[in-house]
Amino acid sequence: MPREKITFPTAAGHELVGTLELPAGRVKGAAVFAHCFTCSQNSKGATYLTRALARRGIATLRFDFTGLGGSEGDFGDSGFAGDVVDVEAAAREMAKRYETKVLLVGHSLGGAAVLAATARLDCVYGVATINAPSDVPHALERIEGDLEAIARDGKGEVAIGGRPFTISAHFVDDTREADLAAKLDALRVPLMVLHSPTDRIVGIEHAKAIFERAHHPKSFVGLEGADHLMTDEADADFASEMIAGWAARFMPKDPVAHPENGVIVRTGNGKWGTEVVTGHHVLTADEPRSYGGEDLGPTPYDLLLAGLGTCTAMTMKFYAEREGLPFHGVEVRLTHDRDHAKDCDHCEDEPRVQAIHRTLRFDGDLPQEVVDKLAEVADKCPVHRTLEGDLHIHTELSE
């Protein structure tokens, strides 16, 4: 996916580092993703989920919380309140960048952080949580160390997820005292709760508690078979598809200027990503990865062949129905040959002749005379005639 590295300040005065995952074409909406406890923006789950949201048109910022990954500050002293402040900073950064309200998505403890942050933000239109705990102190169960000694001595060494950290008594106290229930009572934006019933780290009862406490509108999606960290890309893709479809009902609309005739093509994000707007539809064109693209849409020549192929199929079906001929469907396969001259027996003086090869396969058994007639009709479809006609392309500059 096209992406951009960005930094932004927090209210505490230090910089956070993030990655902005961008759609190849038009940006339909903006989102902030908060990663799981002690993970980073580059964890599998964070990467899979944000890229999947971007594929669906939502520019999504994932970032490292204070003191993690490339972000400045002291993780061991910031506590849960620090995560909430970080989410607020990220949300304001995206709202400012895109001049619109944003979606907050939080994974595990990041889910609790986005729930807590939303009550203090006026730039959020919706929240989605993935495998999130319903009480913040639950996170302390994942810490291996003597928390009582840390409370007595002010700080100490612990292990979280097998990684060493130094945390402060403030970190422990802040996590113990966080009241997520009060934040849920104050939540007044649409909520989607996604949770795996087989999550062994944060049980499904947490999702039930969040969902029951929250106000409507709210939705629930079960992530059957997914692990807590969302390390399977297929699970992340499913979750992102659910979030994007749900969010589309609530996100601020970005009206698309559809042309009355013809098409409008606009450059998008990444190296080749391009948006195509017709009278009623929007699609993305791209190039394969072998050409430096992201393979997020058909190539220009794919679209050219598709235009001829669809016109061919439509014309034959129309003719068969009009003439009362038997017709059960057709498959049209097309390829483009950039250097046809070497295989051409009548174009020695035209070394750059190109060709389109078209193969027709009719469904069912048809009389040979019907097959021959439909093949003849295929050569008369409007796009075929345009491509083989005396075509002129006129280019002018708009004011």
Side-chain angles (χ1 to χ4, degrees):
M1 295 297 301
R3 62 190 56 86
E4 177 184 342
K5 295 293 184 182
I6 66 172
T7 60
F8 54 96
T10 70
H14 56 262
E15 295 283 319
L16 300 182
V17 174
T19 300
L20 179 59
E21 295 286 352
L22 295 162
R26 181 173 64 94
V27 174
K28 299 177 183 177
V32 169
F33 181 88
H35 62 68
C36 58
F37 188 38
T38 75
C39 294
S40 76
Q41 61 160 314
N42 294 321
S43 66
K44 281 187 177 180
T47 302
Y48 291 155
L49 287 158
T50 53
R51 289 180 180 176
L53 285 170
R55 282 196 297 272
R56 291 166 174 83
I58 301 176
T60 307
L61 170 64
R62 66 175 192 267
F63 66 97
D64 290 321
F65 280 121
T66 292
L68 295 175
S71 290
E72 297 176 346
D74 184 357
F75 165 79
D77 193 51
S78 63
F80 179 72
D83 291 349
V84 175
V85 170
D86 291 351
V87 170
E88 293 172 4
R92 292 190 176 101
E93 174 69 20
M94 288 295 282
K96 177 181 177 181
R97 178 176 288 246
Y98 290 101
E99 299 181 339
T100 185
K101 289 191 173 184
V102 302
L103 169 71
L104 297 186
V105 182
H107 179 203
S108 190
L109 193 63
V114 299
L115 289 171
T118 301
R120 291 159 44 172
L121 292 166
D122 58 5
C123 60
V124 174
Y125 71 82
V127 178
T129 65
I130 302 170
N131 295 339
S134 58
D135 64 282
V136 177
H138 179 271
L140 296 177
E141 298 176 11
R142 314 308 304 173
I143 298 178
E144 300 175 21
D146 190 342
L147 300 186
E148 297 307 319
I150 291 172
R152 181 186 66 245
D153 301 334
K155 66 172 56 178
E157 299 292 327
V158 299
I160 308 175
R163 297 164 57 198
F165 290 93
T166 299
I167 62 173
S168 67
H170 168 74
F171 181 102
V172 176
D173 292 341
D174 179 68
T175 304
R176 280 178 174 161
E177 294 168 5
D179 184 5
L180 192 59
K183 302 299 183 183
L184 285 167
D185 288 340
L187 193 69
R188 290 296 185 272
V189 299
L191 170 68
M192 171 173 271
V193 178
L194 301 96
H195 210 106
S196 171
T198 53
D199 190 334
R200 296 177 180 272
I201 296 177
V202 179
I204 190 68
E205 67 276 7
H206 287 270
K208 181 175 184 287
I210 292 173
F211 186 81
E212 290 184 344
R213 188 105 192 187
H215 300 277
H216 284 288
K218 56 185 177 181
S219 302
F220 182 86
V221 174
L223 303 176
E224 183 67 39
D227 63 7
H228 177 72
L229 295 178
M230 300 294 289
T231 55
D232 188 320
E233 188 170 5
D235 292 330
D237 192 64
F238 171 75
S240 296
E241 183 177 9
M242 294 297 101
I243 293 171
W246 166 82
R249 297 175 60 88
F250 306 105
M251 72 171 59
K253 300 305 178 185
D254 179 20
V256 180
H258 291 275
E260 293 185 4
N261 54 68
V263 302
I264 296 175
V265 177
R266 298 187 183 91
T267 53
N269 300 297
K271 187 172 183 179
W272 300 115
T274 306
E275 180 186 72
V276 181
V277 183
T278 72
H280 298 281
H281 304 282
V282 179
L283 62 150
T284 298
D286 201 356
E287 290 285 359
R289 290 186 173 87
S290 58
Y291 284 86
E294 298 286 342
D295 199 22
L296 297 175
T299 70
Y301 275 103
D302 288 340
L303 295 172
L304 175 67
L305 296 179
L308 176 59
T310 52
C311 187
T312 298
M314 291 176 183
T315 300
M316 288 189 293
K317 182 178 182 181
F318 172 78
Y319 179 84
E321 291 179 350
R322 190 188 69 182
E323 299 298 322
L325 299 177
F327 183 82
H328 310 294
V330 65
E331 177 185 273
V332 184
R333 294 200 176 200
L334 303 103
T335 58
H336 173 239
D337 184 355
R338 293 175 182 266
D339 190 8
H340 183 59
K342 62 183 180 182
D343 301 319
C344 181
D345 59 4
H346 59 275
C347 46
E348 293 82 0
D349 298 330
E350 301 180 64
R352 290 300 299 165
V353 168
Q354 300 187 51
I356 292 176
H357 302 277
R358 179 174 54 189
T359 302
L360 308 178
R361 185 185 67 79
F362 293 97
D363 297 340
D365 294 327
L366 298 178
Q368 188 59 45
E369 60 271 19
V370 172
V371 171
D372 293 341
K373 187 59 182 178
L374 291 177
E376 178 185 335
V377 169
D379 287 339
K380 297 178 180 180
C381 85
V383 172
H384 185 125
R385 289 180 169 179
T386 298
L387 293 174
E388 286 197 328
D390 190 11
L391 178 64
H392 290 247
I393 299 175
H394 302 278
T395 302
E396 61 185 38
L397 299 179
S398 175
E399 293 294 335

